[in-house]
Amino acid sequence: MTIFKDMPQWQSFRKSLTGTLGFVPTMGALHDGHLLLVKESLLQNDKTVVSIYVNPTQFNNKSDLKTYPSSLESDIEKLKAIGVTALLTPTYEQMYPDKYCYKVTESDFSSTLCGSHRLGHFDGVLTVVLKLLLITQADRAYFGEKDYQQLQLIRGMVEAFFIKTKIIPIKTIREADGLAMSSRNKKLTKEQRKLAAQLFEQISKTQSSEQTKLSLRKLGFKLDYLEEHFNRRFVAASLGDVRLIDNVEL
Ligand code: AMP
């Protein structure tokens, strides 16, 4: 696996690659959910490139950015072991030569759900994904249904800007007790971790949204939202200062 910190160097390496290329963008602290996206890419493409970039423009909360988990050494080992071709670890200067003067804004769905609680979040996400799709020139890019609103917005952006990369959705991977795998789970205390499994358990029950909200609040979750769209139930809730999101098909 070749590691590229310098994007022009990657772009010239990219020109030498033959066959199909799959791309998995991540913010690192890799878990089995991320690795499933990578494995799917390895199966469907001749080569696979992964990026690890904690994108500051999508963090509306400075302390969330500061405390975002990182485990680059072990991430590299995991990616090497499964046969990834290249890893991109760009810097802010590499990703934002314009200092974020240019951005992608979606003006409909992005202001609901997570967008209404994390101002500017999806501008940051869409902008960095557009940059990464252009830098990688991948045939396919893999995104998790865990971040379903993000996945929908990326699909919309790809269509809106005639981007050739095919967006492949991957089902949410869960811990044995149902908690959706997430890098942020590492920030939970032992007690919070135990309680966190209730998020999936409660939203999966055949009960009204109102009843589910009540149950989650009683258990100690601070709710940002619990809403139903496209036959799915979406939730964002915090335990202490760890914000968790999840969604299930109804
Ligand atoms: P992140 O590093 O959190 O930005 O996630 C990188 C990619 O992995 C995104 O497309 C996420 O939706 C996806 N992902 C994160 N957690 C999971 C999970 N538990 N199951 C499936 N995909 C996931």
Side-chain angles (χ1 to χ4, degrees), residues 26 28-39 68 71 74-75 78-79 82 146-147 172-175 180-186:
T26 79
L30 301 181
H31 50 67
D32 287 351
H34 293 118
L35 294 183
L36 190 75
L37 271 67
V38 178
K39 284 176 187 159
Y68 197 82
S71 53
S74 76
D75 291 354
K78 287 176 186 170
L79 297 174
I82 54 176
K146 149 120 196 320
D147 301 280
T172 303
I173 307 303
R174 300 181 179 280
E175 302 286 357
M181 289 189 184
S182 164
S183 307
R184 284 192 177 85
N185 294 350
K186 292 191 177 134

Side-chain angles (χ1 to χ4, degrees), residues 26-28 53-69 96 100 117-125 128 150 183-184 187 243:
T26 79
M27 298 205 296
Y53 179 62
V54 181
N55 173 38
T57 68
Q58 72 189 66
F59 284 81
N60 56 318
N61 178 333
K62 291 262 177 314
S63 94
D64 187 24
L65 171 61
K66 255 191 171 165
T67 60
Y68 197 82
Y96 292 95
Y100 198 43
H117 292 269
R118 302 184 69 189
L119 290 185
H121 170 64
F122 286 118
D123 288 2
V125 169
V128 81
Q150 165 178 292
S183 307
R184 284 192 177 85
K187 293 166 71 174
R243 187 173 182 275

